[in-house]
Amino acid sequence: MESLIDALTLYAAENLIPHFQKETAAQTRAAWYEADKLTSQLKTLGPEAENWIDELKAELLKIDINQERAVLLAGISIGLELGRL
């Protein structure tokens, strides 16, 4: 059985986050484009640079996931506190 946090995370990902991302969709696309362009330029430095890029991407993904989880938990916490008022 999935935990409450997992269920809320899935719900947020499927139903809430896309709505909130509409405001920044153009900025996000531009940032992805620039990141891809920079990644391509860095890969030209050689195979070792390509490995470092892959490792960097993996670490940045971990940071992003942890940040998103913290934001979700903060939102839940705020909601619970407001519910007590």
Side-chain angles (χ1 to χ4, degrees):
M1 185 167 104
E2 64 185 338
S3 73
L4 176 61
I5 297 301
D6 292 336
L8 290 171
T9 300
L10 181 60
Y11 175 80
E14 291 177 350
N15 300 291
L16 301 174
I17 293 171
H19 170 74
F20 294 120
Q21 286 178 325
K22 287 179 184 176
E23 292 179 23
T24 59
Q27 292 170 327
T28 301
R29 278 192 303 277
W32 276 114
Y33 173 79
E34 289 300 319
D36 287 343
K37 189 169 81 173
L38 291 167
T39 299
S40 294
Q41 290 172 341
L42 288 170
K43 285 182 179 182
T44 64
L45 298 176
E48 190 173 68
E50 191 167 345
N51 290 336
W52 291 338
I53 292 167
D54 292 340
E55 290 176 28
L56 176 60
K57 284 181 180 180
E59 294 304 315
L60 290 173
L61 181 59
K62 289 178 196 175
I63 292 168
D64 189 45
I65 289 169
N66 290 335
Q67 181 68 27
E68 286 181 10
R69 184 176 175 88
V71 169
L72 175 65
L73 291 173
I76 292 168
S77 178
I78 291 168
L80 290 172
E81 287 297 318
L82 289 174
R84 291 185 187 127
L85 297 178

